[in-house]
Amino acid sequence: MSSEHIVKSYDEELNHLNEAILKMGGLAEAQLADAIEAIAVRDPELASETMRGDVKIDALEAAVDHQAVRLLALRQPMAKDLRTIIAALKISAAIERIGDYAANVAKRAIVLSEARPVRPVHAIPRMGRLVQRMIKDVLDAYTEGDAVKAKAVWLKDADVDDLYNSLFREVLTYMMEDPRNITACTHLLFIAKNIERIGDHATNMAELVYYMVVGTPLLETRPKGDDASYTMVEPPGRTDGKGNAD
Amino acid sequence: MTFLEGQAERQGIAIGASGDTRVRSASPAAHPATVATSEETPIKMTARKLSVFYGEKQALFDVSLDIPDRQIMAFIGPSGCGKSTFLRSLNRMNDTIAGCTMTGEVMVDGINIYDRVVDVVELRRRIGMVFQKPNPFPKSIYDNVAYGPRIHGLASSKEELDEIVQTCLARTGLLDEVSTRLHEPGTSLSGGQQQRLCIARAIAVSPDIILMDEPCSALDPIATARVEELMQELQKNYTIVIVTHNMQQAARVSQRTAFFHLGTLVEWGMTEQIFTSPVDDRTQGYITGRYG
């Protein structure tokens, strides 16, 4: 089957939609990279600039919505076209959220650059690179219509969860060690949580790409690794709650 | 089918003619083709390996398809794909075309309608048809609807006939529009009203199945919406098969859709599935408007 519509302008409109998604995704990826760089090098200037960059993503999201609604109304898309447009609508919402999280990471980078350095910061760039890679791969899967690649991204989220869990424990320990770490560590926790959430959105995008390409939802159960919600770390020298000394 | 079975079928149809058309559907279990479906919906019609030829030229290739009872099934496909040929073979309309031959079978409630003993006139009473262009008889509105019941002897008195006419016009939503001019010619109505008159005429003889060949292609969007609304209403009591070039229409009104291409049945299934994630590339290409 040829991939071209008999009506050329229909293809052009779908291409515009795809281009807007890719542009949004590229921006979000760069926003995240800059926010993490700002943390790593303690650069409040870069952080402020990154925060301001979010409006571009928001504007693109509005443009994608407009184009998608227009296509739905004027073309009455069917089958793959319909799935592409629905996926574009949802993916653009996911990218917009990613942009918001990146902006929040940047905002906290400003505070972090003023607080005294804490060691767990070093784990952030690693987590950031992993999630950035997921965004890049899912955008590639979208462009190439590659369901296998989309599924690979989907499975990667477990790695992000693992990193988040270990960071969570580490940060708690640091806070117990020295209360002067609490400000920086709390911001760090939120930063890690935001990056973890970005990973979740990339995973959702992977599910959407899979649906767009294959036509059925990705129904398998994803390996879930985020157990930070259940994590307890007892401070040294305290009782364990049953009256036993540590 | 043995001769005896043929006789029994014949009687079954005769029972249908006396007014109780549901009697036949009580005993389809003996025919596996009528019960074999993936879903729970009972099957009204079944085509098995149906091929149709116009002289030397084969127009339809080995089509096997189940049509569910009291649902709307839509046939879509490009011009010349065989969908109308297939539709016409469902009530033996192709019999009237010189040089047209067929192989395979079409079962309605388990009876092969091409069996020698089947009375074609009676068959077409049970399987009505509505065409692309509204074609009311050159008679009054009343007589258009009364014509079928009269020749089939479905009404024993003037009052009964009046009631049939009133009911059918009411069911098609025409009664309010034409109640004061029942004796004016059917052709004096608007196109949409004429088409609904034709549908009223089709249901006046208590059919089980209504075949519609592009019933809305000559109508404006409002008249089309009325006919579609009517189809949804009729679906409670009748099995409807519609051939349409308008895919949005197929998507709107039908529960099942079948896609034909170059004389073959490419894909059929739940309408939602066909229009959101078709399996075959040819279906995908056709419904999304790409080169096939």
Side-chain angles (χ1 to χ4, degrees), chain B residues 51-281:
Chain B
S51 294
V52 178
F53 304 81
Y54 294 119
E56 293 291 297
K57 191 182 179 308
Q58 187 166 0
L60 212 57
F61 297 82
D62 276 347
V63 172
S64 296
L65 179 68
D66 294 335
I67 297 171
D69 190 24
R70 274 168 280 178
Q71 286 198 349
I72 300 174
M73 182 160 207
F75 295 168
I76 59 169
S79 297
C81 68
K83 57 189 189 302
S84 290
T85 298
F86 183 66
L87 187 80
R88 295 162 61 88
S89 66
L90 296 180
N91 71 344
R92 295 184 57 171
M93 289 287 286
N94 286 334
D95 289 12
T96 60
I97 298 172
C100 181
T101 51
M102 54 86 62
T103 59
E105 56 183 30
V106 177
M107 315 286 278
V108 176
D109 292 334
I111 307 161
N112 185 355
I113 64 167
Y114 284 91
D115 196 280
R116 271 184 304 114
V117 297
V118 168
D119 174 352
V120 179
V121 173
E122 176 55 23
L123 176 79
R124 294 195 189 126
R125 181 195 68 70
R126 292 186 60 204
I127 309 176
M129 191 144 184
V130 176
F131 297 88
Q132 181 169 6
K133 282 185 82 173
N135 56 353
F137 299 138
K139 290 170 178 289
S140 71
I141 294 168
Y142 181 95
D143 285 336
N144 260 282
V145 182
Y147 186 82
R150 258 192 210 126
I151 61 163
H152 286 286
L154 299 183
S156 53
S157 63
K158 174 82 172 75
E159 289 71 32
E160 212 175 320
L161 191 61
D162 282 352
E163 198 185 322
I164 292 175
V165 171
Q166 298 262 333
T167 310
C168 293
L169 287 173
R171 297 197 68 177
T172 53
L174 262 184
L175 191 59
D176 292 343
E177 296 165 42
V178 301
S179 59
T180 55
R181 46 186 180 133
L182 285 178
H183 297 285
E184 289 176 25
T187 48
S188 67
L189 298 172
S190 74
Q193 288 173 325
Q194 287 187 24
Q195 195 62 308
R196 282 186 286 143
L197 178 62
C198 292
I199 296 173
R201 185 178 65 191
I203 62 176
V205 292
S206 313
D208 288 359
I209 300 161
I210 305 171
L211 308 178
M212 297 184 169
D213 194 351
E214 299 249 21
C216 300
S217 61
L219 306 185
D220 70 49
I222 300 297
T224 298
R226 292 230 165 83
V227 171
E228 287 178 4
E229 166 62 21
L230 173 59
M231 289 171 70
Q232 307 264 4
E233 185 59 33
L234 293 176
Q235 170 206 330
K236 293 172 192 158
N237 301 82
Y238 307 94
T239 297
I240 298 176
V241 184
I242 177 178
V243 161
T244 177
H245 274 301
N246 181 336
M247 280 176 292
Q248 267 71 37
Q249 179 170 60
R252 283 192 300 261
V253 302
S254 72
Q255 286 84 44
R256 313 283 167 123
T257 297
F259 171 64
F260 289 80
H261 186 58
L262 300 174
T264 57
L265 173 62
V266 172
E267 185 172 355
W268 60 287
M270 302 301 288
T271 296
E272 186 187 326
Q273 189 256 320
I274 297 283
F275 286 108
T276 57
S277 44
V279 175
D280 196 283
D281 278 352

Side-chain angles (χ1 to χ4, degrees), chain A residues 214-230:
Chain A
V214 178
T216 50
L218 188 51
L219 286 176
E220 294 162 54
T221 332
R222 192 161 53 84
K224 286 262 180 194
D226 177 11
D227 56 8
S229 315
Y230 315 108

Side-chain angles (χ1 to χ4, degrees), chain A residues 30-51:
Chain A
Q31 286 278 96
L32 176 63
D34 288 349
I36 285 161
E37 175 73 5
I39 293 171
V41 302
R42 298 172 69 84
D43 182 348
E45 274 304 305
L46 179 59
S48 315
E49 203 181 302
T50 308
M51 281 173 63

